[in-house]
Amino acid sequence: MTPTLPGPVPRSLLSQLPAYVAGRRAAGAEVAALASNESHFAPLPAVVDAISQGAARVNRYPDPQGLELRAAIAKHVGAGTDEVAIGPGSSGVLQQLLTALCEPGDEVIHAWRSFEAYPILVRLAGAVAVGVPLAGERHDLAAMAAAVTDRTRLILLCTPNNPTGVALTTAEVDDLLARVPQHVLVAIDEAYVEYDDSGFDGLELLRRHPNVCLVRTFSKAHGLAGLRVGYAVARPEIAEAVRRTMLTFAVTDLAQSAALASLAAVDEMERRVREVRAERERMIARLRELGWETPDSQANFVWLRCSDERREHLMESFDHADVLVRGYAGDGIRITIADRVANDRALAVLAPVGALA
Ligand SMILES: *Cc1c(COP(=O)(O)O)cnc(C)c1O
C-alpha cells in the first residue's frame, strides 16, 4: 500500500493485517453453502413479516438504545436490561468491547486457531493480539492464564471454538477466572451457544464473577447473518461501556425488529437447532467410520484436521462437487452442517479420500 502520489497515508498497520477471509458466497442453487456456519433454513415467516413491515419505516432512524430488543434479550437470558448491550453482529460487539477497554499497546489474549476476526479486531483497536496455541483442538487455558501480563486487559474465549467445534466446561473457565486478576475482562464468545448441549453455563459464570462478559449473536442459530445483530451480557458498567462505543444507529430498525420476532419464535429456532444437532451427530459418526479423527462438535459445523497437502487435494474435490467448505492453511477444513442432502454431498467428497487414509 505504498502511495504513488503524495497524500494521506493509511496507518501502516492496515497493510500488515491479514484480510478477513470470508467463506465464499454461494452463486447458484446447485452450490452447497457449507463455508460460513450460516443457518440453511429460510427466515421464519414472522421474521420476514417484521422486516416487510419495517420497510415502510426506513426513512426514520432506529432506536439508538435498542431498548425493546435489549429488554427482550434480558428476559430471554434472565438478566437486567442494563446488563445488555447490542451491536451490529457479535463482531461489532467485540469491536465495541475492545474500543471500550483497550489503551494502545494493551494486550488481548485469545486462542489460536480460533475465530479469524480476533487478531484483526484487536490490532485495529490499537491493542496487541496474543494468540495462544490450542492444545489439540481445545483452548489451553493454563497457557492462556500464564500469558497474562500487567498489560493484559482482556482474555477472549470462544466456546464452542470456531473452527474446531470443541466446547469449554464451566469448571475449567471457573478455574481460569480464579487465576486471572479481576481487572482483566474475560469475554466469552458464545456465537454457537444455541447448538451447544454440553452443559456449559456462561450465565452462571457471569453471576459469580464481575469480570465476565458474554458475547452472542443472531447470525447463527437465529438465522439473521445478513441483518447484523449481536449482543453482550455483562455487569451494568461493562454493558454501558459497550453501548457507548457503538457507532450510533449501527443496529438498524429492520435488524432490531427481526431479532425481536426471532426471540418471540424461540421454540421454532430450537426445533431447527435439534435438526442440525441430529445431522451433526450423523455426520460425525460417518466421518469416524471413514477414518477421520473428528472431535465432538457442539456447534453447527464439523472439523477435519489435516495436512496442507491433503487439505489442498480435498478443497479441489469439494470445488468440483460445488460444495463450499472452509479451508485453513496449516490446520484443516471446517464444514457447516446444513440439510441432509447437502451434508451427504460433503460426505460423498470425503468418502473415497477417507477410505485411502
Ligand atoms: C460467526 C461468528 C461471530 C460473529 O458473527 P456476527 O455475524 O458478527 O455476529 C463471532 N464469533 C464467532 C466465533 C463466530 O463464529
Side-chain angles (χ1 to χ4, degrees), residues 82-85 97 100-101 185 210 234-244:
D82 60 345
E83 294 178 298
V84 176
L97 192 59
L101 289 180
L185 186 78
R235 65 190 301 183
E237 300 89 315
I238 298 293
E240 160 79 17
V242 176
R243 291 197 293 271
R244 281 184 180 227

Side-chain angles (χ1 to χ4, degrees), residues 88-92 115 118 158 162 189 191-192 217 219-220 228-229:
S90 51
S91 7
F115 185 39
Y118 295 154
C158 184
N162 177 4
D189 182 345
Y192 302 95
T217 182
S219 295
K220 304 285 160 60
R228 318 303 306 132
V229 205

Side-chain angles (χ1 to χ4, degrees), residues 20 36-37 88-92 94 114-115 118 158-162 189-192 215-220 224-225 228-230 301 334:
Y20 179 84
S36 300
N37 298 342
S90 51
S91 7
L94 283 168
S114 188
F115 185 39
Y118 295 154
C158 184
T159 185
N161 186 47
N162 177 4
D189 182 345
E190 298 190 300
Y192 302 95
V215 181
R216 295 183 174 182
T217 182
F218 284 91
S219 295
K220 304 285 160 60
L224 301 181
R228 318 303 306 132
V229 205
F301 52 83
R334 187 193 71 196

Side-chain angles (χ1 to χ4, degrees), residues 14-357:
L14 296 195
S15 53
Q16 298 157 18
L17 285 179
Y20 179 84
V21 188
R24 269 171 51 201
R25 289 167 59 86
E30 66 291 349
V31 173
L34 309 182
S36 300
N37 298 342
E38 298 150 331
S39 170
H40 65 281
F41 293 104
L44 296 172
V47 166
V48 175
D49 267 2
I51 296 168
S52 319
Q53 286 171 28
R57 298 190 300 266
V58 294
N59 54 316
R60 304 295 178 191
Y61 283 114
D63 172 8
Q65 305 284 338
L67 265 179
E68 199 184 346
L69 176 57
R70 277 171 47 217
I73 292 167
K75 184 158 177 250
H76 177 66
V77 301
T81 305
D82 60 345
E83 294 178 298
V84 176
I86 59 171
S90 51
S91 7
V93 172
L94 283 168
Q95 186 164 46
Q96 289 160 224
L97 192 59
L98 292 162
T99 308
L101 289 180
C102 296
E103 302 286 357
D106 280 347
E107 293 170 0
V108 177
I109 298 170
H110 61 85
W112 197 254
R113 166 107 29 208
S114 188
F115 185 39
E116 298 278 291
Y118 295 154
I120 300 173
L121 293 173
V122 169
R123 293 174 71 187
L124 276 177
V128 177
V130 180
V132 174
L134 297 175
E137 310 299 1
R138 305 178 56 83
H139 282 49
D140 187 343
L141 293 179
M144 292 178 85
V148 173
T149 72
D150 52 8
R151 292 308 305 265
T152 306
R153 295 288 290 164
L154 217 129
I155 299 178
L156 268 174
L157 304 178
C158 184
T159 185
N161 186 47
N162 177 4
T164 62
V166 176
L168 293 165
T169 68
T170 314
E172 66 187 343
V173 178
D174 215 18
D175 273 4
L176 173 83
L177 282 157
R179 289 159 72 170
V180 304
Q182 284 212 345
H183 68 267
V184 173
L185 186 78
V186 176
I188 308 177
D189 182 345
E190 298 190 300
Y192 302 95
V193 64
E194 295 85 357
Y195 295 108
D196 183 354
D197 50 10
S198 72
F200 178 80
D201 194 345
L203 284 158
E204 191 207 315
L205 292 168
L206 176 67
R207 289 293 158 239
R208 285 194 285 110
H209 301 275
N211 55 331
V212 166
C213 177
L214 307 180
V215 181
R216 295 183 174 182
T217 182
F218 284 91
S219 295
K220 304 285 160 60
H222 282 277
L224 301 181
L227 279 173
R228 318 303 306 132
V229 205
Y231 61 96
V233 190
R235 65 190 301 183
E237 300 89 315
I238 298 293
E240 160 79 17
V242 176
R243 291 197 293 271
R244 281 184 180 227
T245 47
M246 182 178 84
L247 180 69
T248 316
F249 307 125
V251 183
T252 65
D253 181 60
L254 296 186
Q256 293 185 37
S257 306
L260 274 167
S262 194
L263 281 177
V266 78
D267 291 351
E268 181 55 21
M269 186 271 287
E270 283 168 1
R271 199 192 56 74
R272 292 173 163 200
V273 162
R274 283 195 293 276
E275 248 181 80
V276 171
R277 280 186 191 147
E279 273 297 286
R280 175 180 77 198
E281 301 322 315
R282 184 181 73 89
M283 287 279 282
I284 288 177
R286 182 69 188 126
L287 287 166
R288 288 177 180 163
E289 276 171 23
L290 292 171
W292 287 95
E293 282 179 27
T294 182
D296 285 333
S297 169
Q298 293 297 338
N300 66 333
F301 52 83
V302 291
W303 174 241
L304 304 175
R305 188 167 285 282
C306 56
S307 68
D308 277 343
E309 191 186 345
R310 192 144 192 235
R311 176 181 51 80
E312 277 163 26
H313 174 73
L314 281 171
M315 290 303 285
E316 228 167 83
S317 313
F318 277 117
D319 248 17
H320 283 306
D322 273 338
V323 177
L324 299 186
V325 298
R326 185 78 163 76
Y328 296 88
D331 284 305
I333 295 176
R334 187 193 71 196
I335 306 172
T336 305
I337 309 292
D339 59 287
R340 195 179 179 107
V341 172
N343 300 338
D344 279 343
R345 285 175 62 189
L347 286 171
V349 171
L350 291 162
V353 189
L356 298 175

